[in-house]
Amino acid sequence: MKNILLLGRMNDVLKELCKTLEADYRVHLGSENPEMLPGLMTVTEPALVIVSLVGVYEDSEELLRSLSRNYSSIPVLTVGTADEKKRFLQYYEGHQFENIIRPVDNKTIINVVAEKIGGMPAASAGDGKKTVLVVDDNGPTLRTMKAMLEDKYNVMLAPSGIKAMTSIGKEKPDVILLDYEMPVCDGKQTLEMIRAEEDLKSIPVIFLTGVNDKDNIKAVLALRPAGYLLKPPVKEKIVETIEKALGNM
């Protein structure tokens, strides 16, 4: 079970966040005092830090600055209104920080947290469903794919090829939906890493591509994937392709 460090003033919003997450994650509540952060990070070793911006307290600036400077490899999710976020816009220019606009429903929080951590909630495991890993650098696409597939499969999410390899190392999926066009580590490179691992190379990989031209399709097919799908994804076609890759059709 992954660790989440939840920071902010104790109020109804923070309590509801904790209640929403604690069934699937190990949640540690911490003070908004930035001086407490180094100790909290050492003790909890979080996979994700969540900061409640409710009220936009005085220490928020220093807290976010410290997370950005000293813990840049750990994703940070803030929860606050558009006005609360405005004071800290500079922190959202990179990939470390993301804000959830409140009020927000519990399902959205769980989906975004799973996307950030690059795995799936523990409550989803052991229910007999096949597991699908979706790899895409576009957050809305990840959430759309999860919404379309989660009634039939356990869905893991990874926002990059590197995060995908980390997720696969922790929990082996039955099939992988892999974005072909990604920055830094693209679909081809990610597939090569998967096939280089003896215990992973048999996992069927289905490419997702947004480029519908002859040369691009030929390049995709040359890698011999279990299938390929054009974006935007259509649920019926995705499920059909997954089932074929799993040998169910």
Side-chain angles (χ1 to χ4, degrees):
M1 189 176 287
K2 295 183 178 181
N3 292 331
I4 292 178
L5 178 58
L6 184 55
L7 303 173
R9 286 184 177 175
M10 185 56 66
N11 51 40
D12 290 342
V13 172
L14 201 69
K15 290 177 181 177
E16 183 61 26
L17 275 172
C18 184
K19 183 179 179 181
T20 297
L21 296 167
E22 63 185 0
D24 299 311
Y25 303 96
R26 188 178 293 108
V27 182
H28 304 270
L29 286 173
S31 167
E32 73 273 19
N33 185 348
E35 294 181 0
M36 302 290 291
L37 185 61
L40 289 169
M41 296 295 283
T42 299
V43 171
T44 63
E45 298 184 338
L48 174 71
V49 175
I50 300 179
V51 181
S52 171
L53 297 180
V54 177
V56 189
Y57 44 87
E58 200 170 290
D59 288 330
S60 296
E61 174 73 26
E62 183 58 36
L63 184 65
L64 297 189
R65 184 185 298 115
S66 181
L67 287 167
S68 177
R69 287 179 177 177
N70 303 318
Y71 308 98
S72 59
S73 64
I74 299 176
V76 177
L77 187 62
T78 60
V79 181
T81 64
D83 285 339
E84 288 167 340
K85 176 188 173 183
K86 279 181 182 178
R87 288 184 54 178
F88 314 105
L89 291 179
Q90 70 269 27
Y91 296 105
Y92 302 95
E93 294 174 356
H95 298 292
Q96 182 186 13
F97 288 77
E98 181 178 342
N99 185 63
I100 295 181
I101 298 293
R102 65 177 182 89
V104 59
D105 61 272
N106 292 345
K107 184 176 180 180
T108 297
I109 292 173
I110 289 292
N111 286 348
V112 177
V113 167
E115 173 193 327
K116 276 290 185 183
I117 293 177
M120 68 177 181
S124 299
D127 56 9
K129 293 181 179 179
K130 294 293 185 180
T131 297
V132 176
L133 170 63
V134 184
V135 188
D136 199 298
D137 64 307
N138 184 278
T141 296
L142 286 176
R143 289 191 282 274
T144 297
M145 294 288 284
K146 182 176 176 64
M148 286 194 296
L149 298 175
E150 62 185 352
D151 60 331
K152 188 173 180 64
Y153 308 101
N154 290 325
V155 182
M156 300 166 60
L157 303 175
S160 69
I162 300 300
K163 290 287 183 67
M165 296 306 296
T166 300
S167 294
I168 295 170
K170 295 177 180 178
E171 181 161 356
K172 185 177 175 182
D174 296 291
V175 65
I176 299 170
L177 297 179
L178 179 60
D179 183 19
Y180 188 71
E181 298 90 14
M182 291 189 296
V184 184
C185 182
D186 62 18
K188 179 178 182 294
Q189 292 170 308
T190 304
L191 178 61
E192 289 172 346
M193 289 192 293
I194 293 169
R195 288 179 173 171
E197 298 290 336
E198 187 64 32
D199 60 337
L200 303 180
K201 64 182 183 180
S202 63
I203 300 175
V205 175
I206 299 167
F207 273 125
L208 301 168
T209 177
V211 182
N212 185 17
D213 64 62
K214 184 178 179 180
D215 290 340
N216 186 74
I217 297 303
K218 284 176 65 177
V220 170
L221 293 177
L223 298 171
R224 294 184 299 165
Y228 79 92
L229 296 162
L230 292 174
K231 296 180 181 180
V234 178
K235 180 177 181 179
E236 291 74 16
K237 184 63 176 177
I238 294 173
V239 172
E240 178 184 338
T241 305
I242 290 173
E243 289 301 299
K244 283 183 179 179
L246 291 172
N248 294 333
M249 294 183 69

